[in-house]
Amino acid sequence: MTKTNQESKILTGKDYWLKKLKNAFRVITSDKIGLIGFFLLLIIIVISLLAPYVFPLDTRSDPTKIFQPPSEDHLLGTDHMGRDIWAQIANGGRNLLLLAVITAVISILIGIVLGTISPLIGGKFDEVLLFLADVWLTIPRFPLLVVLSGFFRLSSLVLALILAILSWAGLYRNIRSEVLSLKERDYLEAAEMLDLSMFHLIFKEITPNMMSFISLNFTLMMRHAIYAQVGLFFLGLLPMEVNWGVMLNIAWAQGAIYHPDATMFILAPAMAISLLILSLVWINRALENLFNPALRTDKSD
Amino acid sequence: MTDKNSNTNYYSRPGNNRDPINNDRPDTADEIKEQTEAQKVKSESAVADLDGGDLKINPKTNRNKLMEVKNLHIAYNTDRGKLHAVNGVDFSIYNNETTAVIGESGCGKTTLCLALLKLTEKNARYLSGEIIYQGDEQEKNILKLDEGELRKLRWSDISLVFQASQSVFNPVIKIKEHFIDTVRAHQRGLSAKKILKRARNLLEQMQLDADRVLSSYAHELSGGMKQRTLIALSFILEPKIVIFDEPTTALDVLTQRKILDLLKTIKEKNDFSLIIITHDLAISAELADNVATMYAGKIVEYGPVESIYYQPRHPYSYGLIKAVPKIVAGKGEEGLTSITGKPPDLIEIQEQCSFAPRCDFASSKCYNTIPSLNNIAEGHQVACFNYQEVPSIKDGSHVQNSD
Amino acid sequence: MSRTLIEVKDISKSFGEKNKKVPVLRGLTFNIKADEILCVVGESGCGKTTLGKVLAGLEGYNGGSYLHEKKEVNKLSKKDFKLFRRRVQMIHQDPFASLNPTQNVFTILSAPLYRHKIVKGYQQAVDKVNSLLDLVGLTPVQDFIDKFPHQLSGGQRQRISIARSLTLEPAFLIVDEAVSMIDTSLRISILNNLLEIQNKLKVAYFFITHDLAVANYFAQKGRIAVMYLGKIVEIAPTEEIIGNPRHPYTRALIGAIPEADPEVTRQKERFKLKDSEVPSLQNIPGGCAFHTRCPWAEKPICYEKEVRLTGSGQHKTACHLV
């Protein structure tokens, strides 16, 4: 066997992840509810992405078409200004989703960095951080958000950052406890004996073993972010845009609930939000199955 | 004790003379069934022969079969396919004898012992075979009983103490309640006083302070005490068969010694059959009357403990014994070797002796035919074509407690 | 005679807060030479694993001294401690927990090589990993180099674990119950592999086990120390301690071990102890800690007077009566 021969033989971590992914796919698809969740989310994402081209938003008001019931022209009827509701629904999820993803990414990153470094360094640093997190958790988050957005005009990126920062404590605690249990594993002790770097410990030893846990928290964070946004939009504390939360706000303010033909105006955004959350909940459930060692069959590989 | 002459005699006796060559592995379920029938007939004829009276007098010829496992196949449904954990096991449990099932992790020994009570996990499938239990009234095929009948059988006829099963004690219930609940689940209307009297007696046999143990919670007892209490509990309904899965594995040497000694005394004083599932050859050497060696889902050798340890006839038994370091017995530690290679994947269906790739005695036949378990001496069966080539470890009669 | 590598003197270690201190090591003294095997035997809770961690530098110690190459370990400078890390390695008990499931064999073995600049570049790493796998008997090498832990058997995983501990070319290896979770049929080959490595690389072993039979095999040319409640009760060359045990605890252990030989094990001479319950570490008996179980214990000496490890030459015992 020549050396070059062997060089090409060594497979990298990719191989492992491919296998792992296949396994994850199998577990998730074996759970019907989880599968439905994935499809639901996929449909919502596809509609949101294609909407500007397929269902373009017509912002002009048409007084002749106010509060029309669903019809062929207007799948879900029209709003108080005679605009198509379906077009608004199709376009109103994009920013919500984007923001949720950005929030989740930022908060998970904060969570991983703090949650791994803190127990690895340990001692006073860990204690102080844990104390801060406990204090932080006592702050009522939503009212704080309301106050903040009342004072400042928040762009969506800033909102995502604020949401992420506000939720660092919970995530930090979750990931910290997971790392603490991983820390007891012999392979981390072995890494300590071999004097491997902190970077190696966090990103090569610990994080890869928490992927399912992290993805679980990811969907959880997305849900929180969506709730928070919808709440703020509903209260009218964020800039007006086409958005399910804003739609709810306007429908409420325009008295759509009192208008029998306008039921869809208030129901459609509410349904859209529920479906999005539901898809995330179901995906979460499938991910929990991934967590369940009885369903994971790494050993039999 | 066996000697070579009697080996050959018994082997050549009609009725026991099964030709290993013709025992091909069955491929379909139908063939398995056919084989089961055939083996049933064969084993019956073998029993008839033993009762014929033309044998040397040997106390073991009067053994009463309490339980008989016939051609048992159990597979687990896994993602990769069927995992054949028990792959055609035939063996019997005799009245008042201790049988040890030895084998390494993944050989199917735990599945086998769980199957004796039909306690296997949900994804286990009983492909074929039967487990006949000779209860008080009539023969029962345990695999055909429903949950209710099984519940009656478990603990009162057959009790099972799992590996590390000290956690069976509910932490918020006193030990005393465990005894009472267990008995009442099977024999209603017995007074607590009577139950506790029996429990006290058993605990004292286990050399425990009965009153103290009965009135304490599980966490107040040490590991060894819990294990002893559990053993006492497993005897409370006077079962006919007691199964211990790795009875002393997690325990320290001195605690283990205590439990081994207690088991021996309780075995002497009471009438029951003991089945010990263990990977520890020393424990089976200490307790067993008969030893069954299991490999890759099959029992590859079964026989009296002395035969297995001093004149093993299966290369795997031989290899195992040669792999265990000893202190007093094996002063010269030369000759200790490991078995090379690793056990087969039980997903793949083997068309050969499953031990052949690791075997020093394998011939070409071993790679295309599956050997079946054949009698080679009174009460000694082996599934190997080349069993005569396997050397003896030592002659049993020469063993003295020399230092 | 080879030089002394490890000198431990009266070392002690306790866990817990000030008023609830639990002593785990209560003053142990021993040396290990540069190519020696020292086996430590004892029951669970005797402190053998903690002792291993202290020697590995994973745990500190409260009292006494621990000299590695004549240097006090808890006073090492940062630079010296890095060197200590390279010289002292550990092999864990559980081969299923000691390897990261997300890394393949090459990653596991090459990470420390890169980190400590033992190899430069990919090609050197491949060569070094190959030679390590060859050393631990995982051949042909190309069958193993890209495998993930879950694709290997317990014995193979333990060999990877051994190979990893050898990456930094240590001089002292702490082996914690390395074969207790390995199948019986494979144990001897792992032990033999460790012995071969010692022959080739001239390393010293500190071998922790609960199994006297394994210790007897592994330390044929070395020594065995028997521990009880955080102390060494007897230490001697293997043949001496097995053939001529002095301390009642050692005698009890040897007598209690069942052997894989029906007649021997059933006729074996037992050394009966008084009471089989081990005192808890929070409540260690005064005097000789063993007196609660010792059939020889005499008043008042065993009940009141501390014992020290004494004896002439290599065979030392901590007992007032021998």
Side-chain angles (χ1 to χ4, degrees):
Chain A
M1 136 207 81
T2 63
K3 273 172 189 169
T4 44
N5 217 339
Q6 215 182 78
E7 206 170 317
S8 60
K9 272 215 73 160
I10 299 171
L11 302 174
T12 54
K14 272 181 207 146
D15 196 45
Y16 172 83
W17 287 112
L18 215 69
K19 209 163 192 174
K20 196 92 175 161
L21 222 62
K22 260 166 120 184
N23 190 38
F25 183 74
R26 191 186 47 71
V27 173
I28 288 164
T29 48
S30 70
D31 181 0
K32 294 287 171 295
I33 296 282
L35 199 62
I36 294 172
F38 268 100
F39 274 116
L40 205 57
L41 186 65
L42 201 70
I43 291 169
I44 293 172
I45 290 173
V46 167
I47 289 177
S48 296
L49 288 179
L50 294 181
Y53 313 105
V54 187
F55 313 108
L57 212 50
D58 188 0
T59 48
R60 288 167 301 173
S61 60
D62 186 347
T64 59
K65 287 185 182 169
I66 290 172
F67 284 154
Q68 278 190 353
S71 64
E72 267 179 46
D73 281 348
H74 303 288
L75 219 54
L76 297 172
T78 56
D79 67 359
H80 65 294
M81 289 167 83
R83 294 171 302 195
D84 184 46
I85 292 177
W86 166 248
Q88 292 182 40
I89 291 289
N91 286 284
R94 200 166 45 243
N95 281 353
L96 217 58
L97 264 171
L98 195 67
L99 209 85
V101 170
I102 294 173
T103 310
V105 168
I106 299 175
S107 58
I108 291 283
L109 273 179
I110 299 176
I112 291 178
V113 171
L114 290 183
T116 35
I117 287 182
S118 155
L120 284 185
I121 292 180
K124 279 277 175 291
F125 181 77
D126 188 38
E127 272 173 42
V128 170
L129 211 58
L130 193 61
F131 178 75
L132 280 180
D134 286 342
V135 172
W136 196 269
L137 280 175
T138 61
I139 300 173
R141 266 187 283 169
F142 193 69
L144 185 68
L145 256 181
V146 170
V147 172
L148 278 177
S149 45
F151 275 104
F152 308 102
R153 251 187 88 78
L154 303 176
S155 72
S156 25
L157 212 64
V158 175
L159 180 69
L161 202 64
I162 290 179
L163 277 174
I165 290 172
L166 279 182
S167 50
W168 76 274
L171 259 173
Y172 155 76
R173 291 205 64 156
N174 277 355
I175 291 179
R176 180 180 172 272
S177 63
E178 182 75 5
V179 170
L180 276 181
S181 79
L182 280 173
K183 208 184 150 191
E184 295 304 306
R185 308 273 165 96
D186 289 347
Y187 57 79
L188 277 172
E189 201 169 86
E192 195 189 334
M193 289 294 303
L194 295 165
D195 203 18
L196 298 176
S197 65
M198 184 72 101
F199 181 85
H200 180 96
L201 287 184
I202 295 177
F203 292 103
K204 291 271 174 66
E205 305 279 348
I206 294 174
T207 318
N209 282 295
M210 293 199 304
M211 278 326 265
S212 43
F213 185 75
I214 286 169
S215 54
L216 197 73
N217 275 292
F218 194 85
T219 56
L220 211 73
M221 271 319 298
M222 276 180 74
R223 266 158 60 196
H224 283 314
I226 290 167
Y227 274 131
Q229 283 181 76
V230 167
L232 291 176
F233 279 119
F234 180 72
L235 292 175
L237 290 167
L238 291 174
M240 287 294 171
E241 56 170 41
V242 178
N243 173 304
W244 297 339
V246 177
M247 282 175 79
L248 266 182
N249 174 344
I250 293 172
W252 185 263
Q254 295 298 325
I257 44 165
Y258 306 115
H259 206 296
D261 284 340
T263 340
M264 269 310 172
F265 189 20
I266 198 155
L267 214 58
M271 289 273 286
I273 294 164
S274 307
L275 283 177
L276 178 57
I277 299 285
L278 198 65
S279 72
L280 291 173
V281 170
W282 282 344
I283 290 170
N284 210 319
R285 205 184 103 161
L287 290 174
E288 265 167 26
N289 279 347
L290 256 182
F291 247 148
N292 183 349
L295 285 166
R296 272 188 311 192
T297 44
D298 281 11
K299 262 185 277 169
S300 60
D301 272 307
Chain B
M1 245 6 97
T2 48
D3 60 58
K4 279 222 169 110
N5 289 332
S6 61
N7 277 2
T8 44
N9 280 343
Y10 290 135
Y11 187 62
S12 58
R13 264 170 5 92
N16 281 336
N17 201 0
R18 279 187 240 166
D19 187 356
I21 306 167
N22 295 328
N23 262 315
D24 279 349
R25 187 197 167 76
D27 284 321
T28 63
D30 281 353
E31 277 185 50
I32 292 177
K33 236 180 222 165
E34 269 174 44
Q35 205 184 1
T36 320
E37 298 296 318
Q39 281 184 1
K40 207 163 144 193
V41 174
K42 271 181 192 168
S43 57
E44 271 166 12
S45 67
V47 172
D49 268 328
L50 294 186
D51 293 339
D54 57 336
L55 292 172
K56 262 192 237 168
I57 293 164
N58 183 337
K60 282 181 181 164
T61 50
N62 305 324
R63 305 151 101 192
N64 280 328
K65 255 184 209 165
L66 202 54
M67 191 184 248
E68 191 176 7
V69 179
K70 292 181 189 168
N71 195 34
L72 188 66
H73 285 79
I74 302 172
Y76 288 105
N77 284 334
T78 69
D79 314 309
R80 296 188 306 139
K82 281 204 168 84
L83 186 122
H84 300 270
V86 173
N87 204 357
V89 161
D90 294 272
F91 91 122
S92 304
I93 304 298
Y94 297 91
N95 218 348
N96 218 1
E97 288 184 10
T98 304
T99 309
V101 179
I102 56 173
E104 296 176 281
S105 57
C107 74
K109 57 188 194 299
T110 297
T111 305
L112 175 65
C113 87
L114 288 174
L116 298 182
L117 280 169
K118 218 178 164 191
L119 277 171
T120 40
E121 284 184 37
K122 270 187 197 147
N123 62 340
R125 298 281 169 274
Y126 293 84
L127 302 182
S128 67
E130 43 190 4
I131 300 171
I132 305 294
Y133 170 64
Q134 321 266 3
D136 284 332
E137 307 107 50
Q138 82 262 27
E139 286 192 359
K140 288 175 192 155
N141 183 354
I142 286 179
L143 297 183
K144 292 218 170 99
L145 298 181
D146 62 38
E147 239 350 89
E149 291 170 299
L150 281 171
R151 217 171 297 135
K152 250 191 248 164
L153 203 71
R154 288 175 196 151
W155 218 264
S156 63
D157 279 55
I158 307 170
S159 64
L160 170 62
V161 178
F162 288 110
Q163 187 173 353
S165 58
Q166 300 173 4
S167 53
V168 296
F169 292 114
N170 184 335
V172 296
I173 295 178
K174 283 187 177 169
I175 298 295
K176 159 179 5 183
E177 308 289 330
H178 281 105
F179 277 94
I180 294 173
D181 290 351
T182 309
V183 174
R184 290 226 171 119
H186 291 90
Q187 301 174 2
R188 239 156 260 181
L190 218 61
S191 74
K193 217 174 159 189
K194 265 190 185 157
I195 298 169
L196 289 181
K197 196 179 158 200
R198 213 194 284 173
R200 229 170 247 130
N201 182 14
L202 279 169
L203 288 170
E204 269 153 23
Q205 280 192 51
M206 295 310 291
Q207 295 185 16
L208 287 164
D209 179 352
D211 289 310
R212 205 200 119 197
V213 169
L214 283 173
S215 57
S216 41
Y217 293 98
H219 66 89
E220 294 168 324
L221 305 175
S222 71
M225 283 163 83
K226 259 190 271 184
Q227 187 74 353
R228 274 142 75 188
T229 310
L230 191 65
I231 291 171
L233 185 63
S234 71
F235 287 111
I236 188 80
L237 289 163
E238 291 161 3
K240 293 204 172 56
I241 301 178
V242 182
I243 306 169
F244 284 121
D245 187 3
E246 304 283 5
T248 59
T249 296
L251 302 172
D252 281 322
V253 180
L254 295 173
T255 321
Q256 167 182 295
R257 165 54 49 208
K258 183 105 190 163
I259 286 176
L260 291 178
D261 288 346
L262 287 169
L263 269 177
K264 276 196 253 178
T265 15
I266 208 164
K267 184 79 194 56
E268 268 165 32
K269 284 183 190 160
N270 300 281
D271 255 13
F272 63 92
S273 303
L274 186 60
I275 303 175
I276 289 165
I277 315 277
T278 183
H279 69 279
D280 190 335
L281 267 73
I283 288 173
S284 72
E286 176 110 18
L287 294 175
D289 300 318
N290 301 293
V291 176
T293 316
M294 229 178 143
Y295 184 77
K298 283 197 170 78
I299 286 181
V300 293
E301 187 167 9
Y302 173 88
V305 65
E306 294 87 358
S307 313
I308 300 284
Y309 279 84
Y310 300 137
Q311 297 180 323
R313 282 292 163 258
H314 195 281
Y316 179 64
S317 315
Y318 175 77
L320 271 185
I321 292 158
K322 294 286 273 184
V324 181
K326 304 176 186 83
I327 293 190
V328 181
K331 258 232 140 175
E333 288 285 359
E334 323 81 47
L336 275 185
T337 45
S338 281
I339 304 174
T340 52
K342 59 175 184 178
D345 186 351
L346 294 176
I347 298 269
E348 289 153 28
I349 300 229
Q350 301 281 321
E351 294 297 341
Q352 58 181 29
C353 168
S354 48
F355 189 64
R358 303 175 73 183
C359 181
D360 291 337
F361 306 95
S363 53
S364 60
K365 191 176 168 192
C366 306
Y367 287 97
N368 50 44
T369 321
I370 298 168
S372 63
L373 203 58
N374 291 308
N375 262 338
I376 54 161
E378 181 57 47
H380 192 167
Q381 297 149 349
V382 66
C384 179
F385 299 123
N386 304 319
Y387 70 89
Q388 275 157 326
E389 288 172 34
V390 180
S392 297
I393 302 274
K394 59 180 158 190
D395 197 344
S397 56
H398 290 171
V399 178
Q400 288 303 320
N401 199 9
S402 57
D403 50 356
Chain C
M1 276 272 65
S2 50
R3 72 207 159 82
T4 306
L5 184 69
I6 302 286
E7 284 167 78
V8 174
K9 205 167 176 213
D10 211 24
I11 203 169
S12 64
K13 163 96 188 155
S14 53
F15 288 110
E17 298 296 309
K18 266 171 200 146
N19 37 2
K20 273 195 208 155
K21 267 196 178 170
V22 179
V24 180
L25 303 178
R26 306 189 300 131
L28 295 98
T29 303
F30 59 91
N31 296 338
I32 301 173
K33 291 204 176 71
D35 58 355
E36 198 192 16
I37 296 176
L38 178 64
C39 274
V40 168
V41 183
E43 294 179 283
S44 58
C46 72
K48 58 188 193 298
T49 299
T50 308
L51 180 58
K53 290 201 170 175
V54 168
L55 292 185
L58 289 166
E59 298 270 4
Y61 45 96
N62 307 125
S65 81
Y66 167 26
L67 303 182
H68 170 257
E69 305 267 20
K70 313 265 180 241
K71 280 182 190 156
E72 186 70 46
V73 171
N74 67 358
K75 285 181 192 141
L76 289 176
S77 66
K78 243 190 169 153
K79 203 177 130 221
D80 282 344
F81 191 71
K82 262 194 163 21
L83 204 70
F84 170 79
R85 274 272 185 265
R86 288 186 56 164
R87 305 294 288 161
V88 178
Q89 283 296 316
M90 183 164 175
I91 296 165
H92 288 87
Q93 170 178 22
D94 182 356
F96 286 89
S98 63
L99 300 178
N100 192 330
T102 64
Q103 296 177 352
N104 69 8
V105 169
F106 179 74
T107 315
I108 291 169
L109 296 181
S110 63
L113 295 174
Y114 285 130
R115 165 77 172 163
H116 293 271
K117 303 196 173 63
I118 292 168
V119 296
K120 283 191 196 86
Y122 177 77
Q123 195 48 54
Q124 279 191 18
V126 173
D127 292 346
K128 180 76 187 169
V129 167
N130 280 349
S131 70
L132 281 168
L133 288 176
D134 192 57
L135 189 63
V136 296
L138 289 176
T139 47
V141 171
Q142 64 268 36
D143 285 356
F144 296 97
I145 198 158
D146 56 0
K147 289 281 191 299
F148 285 92
H150 67 263
Q151 295 168 309
L152 303 172
S153 70
Q156 290 168 343
R157 282 168 152 248
Q158 196 59 288
R159 286 170 192 264
I160 298 290
S161 189
I162 294 169
R164 179 180 57 190
S165 73
L166 296 172
T167 49
L168 305 184
E169 291 153 12
F172 180 43
L173 277 166
I174 294 136
V175 190
D176 186 3
E177 300 269 14
V179 294
S180 71
M181 299 183 84
I182 307 288
D183 272 333
T184 321
S185 68
L186 301 172
R187 281 183 189 174
I188 291 296
S189 65
I190 301 265
L191 294 176
N192 285 346
N193 187 231
L194 285 170
L195 291 171
E196 259 169 51
I197 287 166
Q198 196 217 18
N199 236 337
K200 274 185 204 157
L201 306 179
K202 303 288 172 220
V203 290
Y205 282 120
F206 182 79
F207 190 92
I208 301 163
T209 180
H210 68 280
D211 189 339
L212 249 176
V214 167
N216 182 34
Y217 180 76
F218 191 70
Q220 281 165 65
K221 296 187 188 86
R223 289 181 297 156
I224 291 179
V226 178
M227 271 181 83
Y228 182 75
L229 289 179
K231 275 192 172 178
I232 291 177
V233 295
E234 187 162 7
I235 182 168
T238 301
E239 218 170 294
E240 173 75 11
I241 204 167
I242 299 290
N244 182 24
R246 290 187 196 154
H247 198 281
Y249 182 65
T250 317
R251 290 174 190 233
L253 280 182
I254 292 173
I257 292 174
E259 305 237 27
D261 183 317
E263 295 197 7
V264 170
T265 196
R266 287 168 204 214
Q267 292 163 11
K268 210 168 154 183
E269 213 177 303
R270 312 259 182 250
F271 187 88
K272 284 250 175 356
L273 295 183
K274 266 199 307 208
D275 176 41
S276 67
E277 295 302 321
V278 189
S280 78
L281 289 170
Q282 284 95 333
N283 195 11
I284 292 176
C288 168
F290 190 59
H291 79 250
T292 52
R293 299 170 76 188
C294 182
W296 295 349
E298 277 174 17
K299 269 180 187 169
I301 180 158
C302 295
Y303 287 72
E304 281 157 23
K305 199 174 165 224
E306 281 278 327
V307 273
R308 300 193 63 81
L309 208 54
T310 50
S312 54
Q314 289 263 55
H315 196 157
K316 294 195 171 73
T317 318
C319 181
H320 292 303
L321 306 171
V322 292

